[in-house]
């Protein structure tokens, strides 16, 4: 209802969303959002006083950890993140690969926690960063458990090819998702970055699948060691889900 729309609040949300892409100068924010300079200044000052943005030494405005914490509270429960943190040590000790905890959001996977391995990666992710769900292991592990309408929406939008291994055939992707849903592991063979692969499993709490746990590393090494990685991921998932109150057979 137009009478209940708060323009100032909407502008403030627009500023926060714009800053998700990285720090910007006030004039860049004003120009991109078509806001008067004075209005932009008041919004930034208010967000700064509330702790959601900070001014950087170079004069740009950036999101703070307060904005990150607010967003993460909506992504998944603290219990899930704590349970995962309690059980990733053995994965890193055993393999030295990077461990990701991810959630699904509108066709993307969002990285909400990350533990860097000792083995170097030629590509990197960042906390809060996104990747197309159909191109990465944690994304496919989550996409497989989305409602049919959401999967169909994603397929209707078209599947962009990022590497020669990207799955762009909707029927083939459906086959993969059905396999994951039946209890098989999710695999990325270098579909977003040809040099980086991964394996992942879904994680459940009492409400259903809420996150995905994955290992990432050079694609050739991930595929060569696939049986060991699969076993370790499933064991970790069982321990995490048991901590969350899910009894595994």
């Amino acid at each position: 209802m137009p009478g209940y729309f708060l323009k100032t609040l909407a502008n403030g949300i627009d500023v926060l969303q714009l800053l998700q892409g990285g720090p910007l100068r006030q004039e860049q924010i004003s120009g991109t959002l078509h806001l008067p300079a004075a209005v932009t200044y008041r919004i930034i000052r208010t967000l700064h006083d509330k702790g959601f943005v900070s001014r950087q030494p170079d004069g740009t405005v950036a999101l703070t950890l307060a904005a990150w914490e607010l967003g993460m509270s909506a992504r998944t429960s603290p219990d899930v993140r704590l349970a995962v943190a309690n059980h990733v040590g053995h994965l890193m000790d055993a393999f030295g690969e990077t461990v990701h905890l991810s959630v699904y959001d509108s066709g993307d996977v969002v990285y909400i926690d990350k533990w860097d391995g000792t083995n170097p990666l030629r590509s990197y992710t960042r906390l809060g960063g996104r990747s197309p769900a159909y191109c990465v292991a944690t994304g496919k592990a989550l996409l497989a458990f989305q409602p049919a309408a959401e999967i169909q929406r994603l397929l209707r939008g078209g599947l962009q090819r990022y590497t020669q291994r990207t799955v762009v055939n909707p029927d083939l992707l459906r086959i993969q998702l059905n396999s994951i849903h039946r209890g098989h592991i999710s695999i990325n063979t270098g579909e977003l970055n040809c040099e980086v692969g991964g394996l992942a499993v879904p994680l459940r709490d009492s409400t259903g699948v809420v996150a995905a746990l994955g290992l990432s590393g050079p694609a050739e090494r991930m595929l060569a060691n696939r049986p060991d990685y699969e076993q370790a991921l499933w064991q970790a998932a069982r321990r995490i889900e048991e901590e969350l109150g899910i009894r595994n057979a």
Side-chain angles (χ1 to χ4, degrees):
M1 299 181 187
Y4 291 92
F5 187 82
L6 296 177
K7 182 65 174 176
T8 302
L9 177 59
N11 288 338
I13 293 172
D14 287 342
V15 170
L16 291 174
Q17 290 176 330
L18 181 63
L19 291 174
Q20 284 182 304
L24 295 171
R25 294 187 176 278
Q26 180 177 317
E27 55 268 27
Q28 291 175 302
I29 297 172
S30 180
T32 301
L33 297 178
H34 306 292
L35 294 173
V39 171
T40 304
Y41 172 80
R42 289 197 296 271
I43 291 172
I44 292 173
R45 179 62 185 268
T46 301
L47 291 173
H48 181 274
D49 289 349
K50 288 295 185 180
F52 285 98
V53 303
S54 64
R55 290 193 178 274
Q56 303 301 296
D58 63 0
T60 59
V61 179
L63 294 178
T64 66
L65 285 177
W68 163 259
E69 290 167 354
L70 183 64
M72 287 305 99
S73 68
R75 293 293 184 193
T76 191
S77 74
D79 290 343
V80 174
R81 298 179 70 193
L82 178 59
V84 171
N86 289 340
H87 294 282
V88 298
H90 75 283
L91 287 174
M92 298 181 65
D93 292 342
F95 305 115
E97 308 292 6
T98 298
V99 181
H100 288 109
L101 177 65
S102 307
V103 294
Y104 182 84
D105 184 40
S106 302
D108 290 338
V109 62
V110 181
Y111 303 104
I112 63 170
D113 255 326
K114 175 186 178 184
W115 296 265
D116 287 314
T118 56
N119 291 324
L121 266 177
R122 297 175 187 173
S123 178
Y124 64 90
T125 54
R126 60 180 177 83
L127 289 179
R130 292 172 175 260
S131 294
Y134 67 94
C135 293
V136 295
T138 55
K140 287 194 282 188
L142 291 162
L143 186 59
F145 291 88
Q146 298 307 306
E150 171 62 10
I151 295 174
Q152 182 60 28
R153 182 196 68 80
L154 184 145
L155 295 178
R156 281 201 307 267
L159 304 176
Q160 180 179 344
R161 182 180 295 281
Y162 294 92
T163 75
Q164 291 183 341
R165 294 180 175 178
T166 306
V167 178
V168 294
N169 183 307
D171 293 333
L172 180 56
L173 181 60
R174 285 186 184 278
I175 291 172
Q176 290 188 357
L177 297 180
N178 288 338
S179 176
I180 296 166
H181 197 278
R182 291 195 301 269
H184 297 168
I185 202 156
S186 172
I187 302 172
N188 164 22
T189 61
E191 296 155 43
L192 183 62
N193 181 322
C194 62
E195 297 180 334
V196 180
L199 296 94
V201 293
L203 294 177
R204 298 171 296 160
D205 66 7
S206 59
T207 66
V209 171
V210 292
L213 179 69
L215 286 171
S216 295
E220 291 184 5
R221 186 169 68 228
M222 298 302 295
L223 295 177
N225 297 321
R226 174 178 167 181
D228 292 338
Y229 291 157
E230 286 190 12
Q231 182 179 12
L233 278 170
W234 282 123
Q235 289 175 347
R238 284 194 293 268
R239 287 192 291 266
I240 292 165
E241 290 178 350
E242 286 171 0
E243 187 168 327
L244 294 171
I246 302 296
R247 293 181 61 87
N248 291 285

